[in-house]
Amino acid sequence: TKEWYKKSYQTWMYIAYPVFLYSCERIVRLFRSHDAVKIQKVAVYPGHVLALYMSKPTGFRYRSGQYIFINCRAVSPYEWHPFSITSAPGDNYLSVHIRTRGDWTSRLRTVFSEACRPPAEGESGLLRADLSRGITDSNARFPKLLIDGPYGAPAQDYREYDVLLLIGLGIGATPLISIVKDVLNHIQPGGSVGGAEPGGTGKAKKRQFMTKRAYFYWVTREEGSFEWFRGVMNEVAEKDKDQVIELHNHCSSVYQEGDARSALIVMLQELQHAKKGVDILSGTSVKTHFARPNWRSVFKRVAVNHENQRVGVFYCGEPVLVPQLRQLSADFTHKTNTKFEFHKENF
């Protein structure tokens, strides 16, 4: 039709529903979002990763593996982006580690980097700002952050398994780090291994912490990536006296062990670890392996060590590894007495 009023009459049918859904989403987020959180610590790591440590809002409860949406009005007043929580539920702070991949995250990293002090000698470009000991003049330089959440994710049901097999690729280790910290908190003196989940209500109070063993495999290409969670690795190595948590770091950009091209770095690594107990790549007591793990050998070892038990396999990273891990979980479930249940989350 050529009459403009007839065109307008038809147009509303196609616009009304999307506008209604969008408006509902904005209203729900307005009520769910918390007041601006206080920034306690900021760290800008090599490999374009920004770590934010925030105050935990009153009444904010979550489980390891879940994620939150973050809004920074200094970057964009209307954009909300999801990020996995890296702090454990028992921590008195809330933390996220953000890999810069796009305009919004790049701008966020720039804004916070400007408020951090220059890197000290030997910090490999690491930028930090620690405001947790009190309010300082630099507080005003940080932009305000709003959070919305928490939201559920595949890894949040890890407490229901006897054994955990956690596999993270690159920045995909973020939700798994929270799980490792939560398991560590439960094995500490005063923790509640086998007890009810703290801070829960209703059915959550009856949920038991069943995990007795955890294997964590972190695969990354850049050796500088190990600096992201160096503090967590050192804490686990120091406090896990019963070796409930087994940590494995893999640097895939180095030739596998036994290859002549990596023989020199292996010799230096062994010498440094034997002399000082510190790995030359990760900077922690956790020894770094070279090349990708042999996943079939990993599954076989877990199946042999934990017969007649349920193993929760949680993977977070690029989709390329999903088919192999899903198939191995199915194979070892059918061929052994150990039951593997596979869960994945892709970035």
Side-chain angles (χ1 to χ4, degrees):
T1 181
K2 296 182 179 180
E3 291 80 359
W4 67 269
Y5 58 89
K6 291 185 178 180
K7 291 182 180 180
S8 301
Y9 180 76
Q10 298 291 334
T11 301
W12 74 269
M13 298 173 58
Y14 301 97
I15 296 180
Y17 290 108
V19 170
F20 174 75
L21 293 176
Y22 178 79
S23 300
C24 290
E25 192 271 342
R26 286 295 175 182
I27 293 173
V28 170
R29 177 147 292 164
L30 179 64
F31 284 101
R32 281 183 57 91
S33 61
H34 297 265
D35 295 333
V37 292
K38 294 181 180 179
I39 304 298
Q40 296 181 347
K41 295 181 184 179
V42 176
V44 183
Y45 294 104
H48 305 288
V49 170
L50 170 67
L52 300 176
Y53 297 81
M54 304 161 280
S55 60
K56 186 184 296 186
T58 303
F60 186 86
R61 293 186 178 91
Y62 66 95
R63 292 188 229 165
S64 294
Q66 294 184 332
Y67 65 95
I68 58 175
F69 279 86
I70 293 180
N71 170 266
C72 180
R73 294 184 178 179
V75 178
S76 176
Y78 302 110
E79 290 188 46
W80 293 78
H81 294 267
F83 299 100
S84 298
I85 302 173
T86 53
S87 55
D91 295 334
N92 58 1
Y93 61 88
L94 193 65
S95 68
V96 294
H97 286 64
I98 301 173
R99 181 73 178 267
T100 54
R101 289 184 176 180
D103 297 338
W104 191 88
T105 51
S106 298
R107 176 57 183 162
L108 185 72
R109 178 176 179 269
T110 300
V111 169
F112 279 96
S113 297
E114 294 172 351
C116 296
R117 64 172 173 79
E121 185 178 356
E123 285 189 335
S124 304
L126 176 65
L127 301 175
R128 288 186 183 275
D130 190 346
L131 311 177
S132 59
R133 296 186 177 181
I135 300 176
T136 65
D137 294 337
S138 58
N139 274 21
R141 294 202 298 260
F142 283 114
K144 291 184 178 181
L145 294 182
L146 299 176
I147 64 172
D148 172 25
Y151 287 92
Q156 71 180 36
D157 295 326
Y158 63 95
R159 292 173 177 235
E160 301 176 1
Y161 294 94
D162 305 314
V163 181
L164 299 179
L165 177 55
L166 310 173
I167 302 172
L169 259 62
I171 197 61
T174 49
L176 309 181
I177 285 292
S178 179
I179 296 176
V180 169
K181 294 181 67 176
D182 192 38
V183 174
L184 179 65
N185 290 341
H186 278 78
I187 64 177
Q188 293 305 302
S192 55
V193 176
E197 181 176 350
T201 58
K203 294 182 179 180
K205 287 186 176 180
K206 300 179 182 179
R207 183 176 289 109
Q208 299 295 312
F209 192 92
M210 300 176 60
T211 304
K212 301 297 186 297
R213 192 82 162 98
Y215 299 86
F216 176 54
Y217 286 82
W218 185 19
V219 184
T220 181
R221 291 189 56 83
E222 304 91 0
E223 60 182 67
S225 302
F226 296 120
E227 197 166 2
W228 303 345
F229 305 112
R230 179 181 296 178
V232 177
M233 299 293 181
N234 285 328
E235 185 180 3
V236 172
E238 178 183 353
K239 296 182 179 180
D240 185 13
K241 303 300 182 182
D242 297 329
Q243 297 184 344
V244 175
I245 305 173
E246 189 174 299
L247 304 177
H248 297 271
N249 294 336
H250 285 261
C251 187
S252 59
S253 60
V254 182
Y255 294 106
Q256 63 183 356
E257 298 174 17
D259 194 299
R261 290 168 290 188
S262 60
L264 179 59
I265 192 173
V266 171
M267 291 172 58
L268 294 174
Q269 181 192 41
E270 294 289 350
L271 180 63
Q272 176 76 0
H273 200 276
K275 186 177 181 180
K276 298 183 178 181
V278 177
D279 185 76
I280 60 175
L281 292 182
S282 65
T284 69
S285 57
V286 181
K287 186 178 178 181
T288 301
H289 305 279
F290 302 133
R292 296 178 182 271
N294 184 330
W295 296 116
R296 180 166 290 276
S297 298
V298 170
F299 275 77
K300 181 179 179 180
R301 177 167 169 262
V302 174
V304 170
N305 293 339
H306 303 282
E307 294 184 358
N308 300 314
Q309 290 184 308
R310 294 173 65 238
V311 179
V313 182
F314 295 94
Y315 169 73
C316 188
E318 299 291 339
V320 63
L321 199 56
V322 171
Q324 181 182 1
L325 296 179
R326 179 183 284 118
Q327 186 61 47
L328 286 172
S329 298
D331 290 346
F332 280 89
T333 296
H334 294 133
K335 296 179 182 179
T336 66
N337 295 328
T338 307
K339 184 178 181 181
F340 291 84
E341 296 184 13
F342 179 68
H343 308 267
K344 58 97 175 176
E345 184 175 356
N346 299 135
F347 281 93

